[in-house]
Amino acid sequence: MNTSSPASRKSHRKPSEEVERRARELREEIETHNYYYYVLDAPRIPDAEYDRLMRELQELERRYPELITPDSPTQRVGAAPVEAFGTVRHELPMLSLDNAFSEEEVRDFHRRVTEQLGVRHVDYAAEPKLDGLAVSLRYEEGRLVQGATRGDGYTGEDVTQNVRTIAAIPLRLRGRGHPRVLEVRGEVYMPLSGFRELNRRQSRRGEKTFANPRNAAAGSLRQLDPRITAQRPLSFFCHGVGVVAGGRLPGRHSEILAQLREWGLRIPEHLRVVRDAEGCLAYYEEMGRLRPRLDYEIDGVVYKVDRLSQQEQLGYVSRAPRWAIAHKFPAQEELTRVLAIDVQVGRTGALTPVARLEPVYVGGVTVTSATLHNEDEVRRKDVRVGDTVIVRRAGDVIPEVVAVVGERRPPGTCPFRMPRKCPVCGSDVVRAPGEAIARCSGGLFCPAQRKEAIKHFASRRAMDIEGLGDKLVEQLVDKGLVRDVADLYMLTEDQLADLERMGRKSAANLVAALEKSKSTTLARFLYALGIREVGEATARALASHFGNLEALMEADEAELEAVPDVGPVVAAHIRAFFRQRHNRQVIQRLRRLGVHWTEQQRSPGVPLPLAGKIYVLTGALQAMTRDEAKDRLEALGARVSNSVSRRTDCVVVGADPGSKYRKALELNIPTLDEQGFLELLHRFEGRNRA
Ligand code: 5U1
């Protein structure tokens, strides 16, 4: 059976003139949008529209393969793999640059330039120096015919098929007046956003990740299979020209770059013509400030004498021009030694391995420690005490260990192992199935988690201790008045009145609020304990399933997983939490200090009286808040919904009810006034009370 539609079938007829014209139009339109997007950084159409144009052209070329041209924008998917790269001899060598690492070295450079030229002032073209891969692109009659790596400066590798897959490199130059042969030089690089995404993708697939964007760019460009290069987020900036024949270029470097831009080539952002050493140094400062916000890595800036006639006068020394210099930023990567691997416990109990390092100057500061993220990361990089490692610090980012220098590993090192007990409180360390982070399970007790645990315990949806805000919790912990949540219920008015921003009255109010909070529901109490992955809904499900705390505390994984929404991860966290003697002691103290709830001491599995019923609340109740009414209904097994529908079983109507009441009347849904509601609670809660 032939399932293809007539429109999608391959045609064996010659394309009509109209089809040919449309293919040409589409190619031009797509190229123009590439130019707006990549070169001018100002896209004119949404991505979806661009994709539509591309699909239309692909479809035409599929039906009439004779329409395909080598420089069609559809031809960037990557040619067939090769066994090895051919070599390319650079007609004009690709030079390197001298470096300056200090202000003084920049001033010395400027002095040499002015002295040799016999002038007092010099204009420099100042550019960011990209940390990429130098390449040469050869255009003949405006068409890209060759791409080559720098190699040793004289001979590079032929990467034509690979550079053709990079969307920021035009396959054909725009406009008119280009020289017959134009060799453009610049850097292929990987934007930081693309680099992070690529590493995430590689990690997900269990493939090798890249240490930095430069390695990722090099590894991607130098692929024998250009189809792989095509899938890598590479980009390109040009910063000069090599061979130029059959045409002329302007007399200043800055003008040449402007001309290249008009021809469709991407030139670096933040180009500037500056004057003398002072202008250069101001530019360096400015780029240093901008650097953390750029989506690509730069390792410095380059100053080039702008006038070509002056460049010629200055000439070259060995392999570097006398008319240009790279002013480098402090290195972002350095080598150092791992002295120890400590494990830090965060506010939420997450354990993070941290490498203690021999102090090293990197990225402008002295670094003595670097994060190793998590256990899997340490294992993947196999970082060991005694190893020599590459440390990286980019912008304001926390320093990290990028990789180990394998050949410098001393004998007798051991692989890292995550401790089994929390280094702060001694509770069990738990790593739930499928999670990357190991955590301390002593949430109620661990000093590292103290403040967060208390703030959560006091919060409105948990124990609802009015007046116990974050600042006050910090003070109470810092002054040593509270070490765990049970200590809250031992606080006296006198102790509280002595605190900052607390008077007698606020102290008395807080003591009253603490007293009031002692009467709660099992669901709220469970939520307040701050067990990992146990949010309000899970706490409610656990309370209604087990009916009492003792049954829950003793439940094993299988019993826990019988509760709706509780999977192996949640069950593991709950088990680990209640296994900790310290957590159990805090719970015992809380109960002895008067924290209680009114749920039925039920045997697990017995349904609650309002199980499966949907209630809606509207209007104000006199006897309790909306939250309390909701809690009490939920404790009886009801679901409390925000809107009335045919599925609603009952609407509780307080004073000044809103539209939900009208809707209930309209749909003939049973309603209860406050008196009726209280009687319902009394009837069932009375029956349920322990
Ligand atoms: N921006 C820029 N980077 N870069 C690197 N310009 C530039 N020029 C270079 C190099 C190696 O060399 C020429 C000055 C020869």
Side-chain angles (χ1 to χ4, degrees):
M1 191 175 62
N2 186 353
T3 52
S4 60
S5 69
S8 67
R9 221 176 288 140
K10 205 172 196 167
S11 168
H12 298 293
R13 280 179 296 123
K14 259 178 71 71
S16 65
E17 266 180 32
E18 197 188 329
V19 167
E20 278 182 9
R21 188 184 45 75
R22 180 63 186 150
R24 244 189 341 265
E25 237 173 49
L26 282 166
R27 274 200 290 272
E28 274 162 26
E29 212 177 329
I30 292 169
E31 272 161 15
T32 302
H33 288 301
N34 276 349
Y35 178 66
Y36 287 130
Y37 186 90
Y38 291 106
V39 181
L40 302 185
D41 201 13
R44 290 239 169 137
I45 51 171
D47 290 354
E49 178 61 11
Y50 179 88
D51 292 344
R52 201 189 58 69
L53 295 173
M54 195 66 136
R55 276 199 304 275
E56 189 184 340
L57 180 59
Q58 279 163 342
E59 180 55 19
L60 284 184
E61 290 180 347
R62 203 189 58 73
R63 278 161 61 193
Y64 303 104
E66 57 266 60
L67 287 179
I68 301 174
T69 58
D71 53 10
S72 168
T74 58
Q75 300 305 297
R76 290 192 187 266
V77 285
V82 290
E83 294 267 314
F85 294 118
T87 51
V88 172
R89 186 147 186 86
H90 300 299
E91 247 175 271
L92 290 177
M94 287 183 78
L95 302 170
S96 51
L97 281 170
D98 273 345
N99 291 321
F101 293 97
S102 66
E103 210 177 294
E104 205 186 334
E105 286 173 354
V106 173
R107 291 185 196 284
D108 285 347
F109 163 75
H110 176 61
R111 197 172 310 118
R112 287 195 300 274
V113 167
T114 47
E115 278 173 13
Q116 207 181 326
L117 291 175
V119 295
R120 289 185 55 198
H121 299 290
V122 179
D123 284 343
Y124 293 99
E127 307 166 4
K129 186 170 182 307
L130 257 91
D131 202 4
L133 219 80
V135 295
S136 136
L137 304 175
R138 186 178 169 99
Y139 287 87
E140 289 178 6
E141 311 289 357
R143 284 169 205 279
L144 177 65
V145 294
Q146 189 174 72
T149 60
R150 175 178 183 278
D152 63 5
Y154 298 97
T155 312
E157 284 170 328
D158 184 342
V159 286
T160 310
Q161 294 308 332
N162 303 50
V163 296
R164 284 176 60 87
T165 67
I166 301 173
I169 294 180
L171 300 177
R172 223 173 54 179
L173 296 180
R174 293 172 61 78
R176 317 195 158 275
H178 3 92
R180 190 174 45 74
V181 178
L182 174 66
E183 186 198 345
V184 175
R185 290 175 175 181
E187 306 278 322
V188 166
Y189 70 96
M190 190 172 286
L192 286 169
S193 46
F195 165 71
R196 291 187 196 110
E197 178 52 37
L198 172 65
N199 264 357
R200 272 196 292 272
R201 199 166 74 201
Q202 295 285 101
S203 242
R204 263 199 314 272
R205 295 178 179 166
E207 285 170 22
K208 145 176 178 299
T209 53
F210 296 95
N212 54 44
R214 195 184 179 284
N215 287 4
S220 302
L221 184 69
R222 298 184 63 253
Q223 282 285 339
L224 293 172
D225 184 350
R227 289 169 302 191
I228 298 179
T229 312
Q231 286 162 19
R232 300 282 171 82
L234 293 175
S235 198
F236 173 77
F237 278 133
C238 64
H239 52 59
V241 292
V243 176
V244 178
R248 287 175 63 82
L249 292 177
R252 281 177 174 253
H253 176 78
S254 53
E255 292 167 351
I256 293 178
L257 289 190
Q259 174 67 81
L260 294 180
R261 186 172 196 248
E262 272 182 33
W263 286 335
L265 288 149
R266 199 152 172 255
I267 59 173
E269 302 170 298
H270 313 292
L271 293 176
R272 194 105 68 248
V273 176
V274 297
R275 188 143 243 230
D276 301 340
E278 294 314 317
C280 293
L281 295 172
Y283 180 78
Y284 178 84
E285 289 291 316
E286 189 188 328
M287 289 310 293
R289 277 193 300 274
L290 262 176
R291 187 186 188 194
R293 277 180 275 147
L294 300 175
D295 191 31
Y296 42 85
E297 300 227 305
I298 58 174
D299 57 0
V301 295
V302 184
Y303 314 125
K304 297 171 187 168
V305 171
D306 197 30
R307 283 175 203 273
L308 298 200
S309 56
Q310 291 184 328
Q311 287 187 4
E312 273 161 32
Q313 243 180 295
L314 288 160
Y316 300 84
V317 261
S318 63
R319 297 178 58 186
R322 280 209 194 88
W323 42 265
I325 199 158
H327 189 182
K328 301 292 276 281
F329 290 132
Q332 291 193 304
E333 287 188 358
E334 278 299 348
L335 291 183
T336 187
R337 220 165 53 85
V338 178
L339 303 176
I341 300 179
D342 291 348
V343 174
Q344 282 179 350
V345 186
R347 292 177 307 136
T348 59
L351 267 63
T352 309
V354 176
R356 302 292 169 209
L357 306 167
E358 221 158 53
V360 60
Y361 189 73
V362 50
V365 296
T366 300
V367 167
T368 54
S369 60
T371 179
L372 292 167
H373 300 291
N374 58 50
E375 194 178 0
D376 290 350
E377 275 288 293
V378 189
R379 201 158 298 151
R380 196 174 60 74
K381 293 176 181 161
D382 190 19
V383 182
R384 302 182 187 190
V385 176
D387 271 342
T388 296
V389 290
I390 303 171
V391 179
R392 177 178 180 75
R393 183 185 175 274
D396 295 333
V397 187
I398 307 169
E400 65 167 348
V401 170
V402 175
V404 171
V405 183
E407 54 277 21
R408 295 215 199 162
R409 171 166 287 166
T413 60
C414 309
F416 169 79
R417 285 193 52 187
M418 201 55 135
R420 303 251 278 275
K421 299 280 180 197
C422 169
V424 177
C425 76
S427 299
D428 291 343
V429 168
V430 178
R431 190 171 156 195
E435 287 198 348
I437 307 287
R439 291 177 191 278
C440 162
S441 56
L444 273 193
F445 167 79
C446 181
Q449 302 174 62
R450 208 170 258 171
K451 287 182 180 171
E452 291 312 301
I454 299 171
K455 286 176 196 170
H456 172 74
F457 184 83
S459 64
R460 197 173 71 83
R461 310 284 314 160
M463 297 299 279
D464 193 17
I465 307 173
E466 221 182 310
L468 185 53
D470 290 0
K471 289 269 169 328
L472 193 52
V473 171
E474 313 246 334
Q475 267 199 78
L476 289 169
V477 173
D478 291 343
K479 288 199 169 4
L481 291 172
V482 171
R483 279 167 299 123
D484 60 43
V485 292
D487 288 347
L488 290 172
Y489 293 103
M490 315 247 293
L491 289 168
T492 63
E493 245 182 75
D494 285 346
Q495 282 174 322
L496 290 169
D498 276 352
L499 297 173
E500 273 168 43
R501 281 177 295 182
M502 285 287 277
R504 250 306 124 198
K505 178 113 193 343
S506 321
N509 286 345
L510 183 55
V511 170
L514 279 160
E515 197 53 39
K516 185 167 166 230
S517 75
K518 287 180 181 173
S519 173
T520 185
T521 63
L522 177 56
R524 272 183 180 262
F525 183 74
L526 289 176
Y527 173 61
L529 294 178
I531 306 169
R532 186 116 205 121
E533 300 284 341
V534 177
E536 283 181 85
T538 309
R540 273 200 299 274
L542 289 167
S544 93
H545 181 89
F546 288 99
N548 65 73
L549 184 61
E550 288 68 30
L552 170 61
M553 285 170 74
E554 298 314 321
D556 62 20
E557 262 94 348
E559 288 168 302
L560 288 165
E561 285 182 43
V563 180
D565 290 343
V566 175
V569 173
V570 184
H573 284 302
I574 297 171
R575 277 293 293 146
F577 183 90
F578 287 122
R579 244 195 342 254
Q580 306 314 308
R581 190 166 47 88
H582 294 126
N583 288 340
R584 295 173 86 102
Q585 282 169 346
V586 175
I587 292 172
Q588 213 173 42
R589 280 181 59 223
L590 282 167
R591 297 189 82 174
R592 266 201 232 116
L593 286 161
V595 173
H596 65 283
W597 47 89
T598 53
E599 275 88 349
Q600 175 194 29
Q601 296 287 323
R602 292 180 315 109
S603 356
V606 175
L608 287 163
L610 299 183
K613 302 280 183 225
I614 301 176
Y615 275 67
V616 173
L617 298 163
T618 179
L621 299 171
Q622 308 300 312
M624 69 191 86
T625 62
R626 181 77 66 91
D627 277 348
E628 192 183 338
K630 184 168 182 264
D631 282 343
R632 289 172 72 173
L633 280 167
E634 284 173 347
L636 294 170
R639 189 161 78 73
V640 179
S641 163
N642 278 329
S643 58
V644 178
S645 75
R646 289 189 194 285
R647 291 172 53 227
T648 309
D649 292 290
C650 179
V651 177
V652 176
V653 183
D656 298 324
S659 61
K660 293 179 201 163
Y661 179 47
R662 276 198 304 281
K663 185 94 186 269
L665 295 179
E666 239 172 74
L667 297 178
N668 250 337
I669 309 281
T671 58
L672 274 180
D673 62 9
E674 179 156 1
Q675 187 55 38
F677 177 54
L678 291 176
E679 280 167 17
L680 171 117
L681 293 181
H682 183 70
R683 184 154 29 105
F684 289 129
E685 284 178 348
R687 179 136 56 85
N688 293 343
R689 214 171 290 273

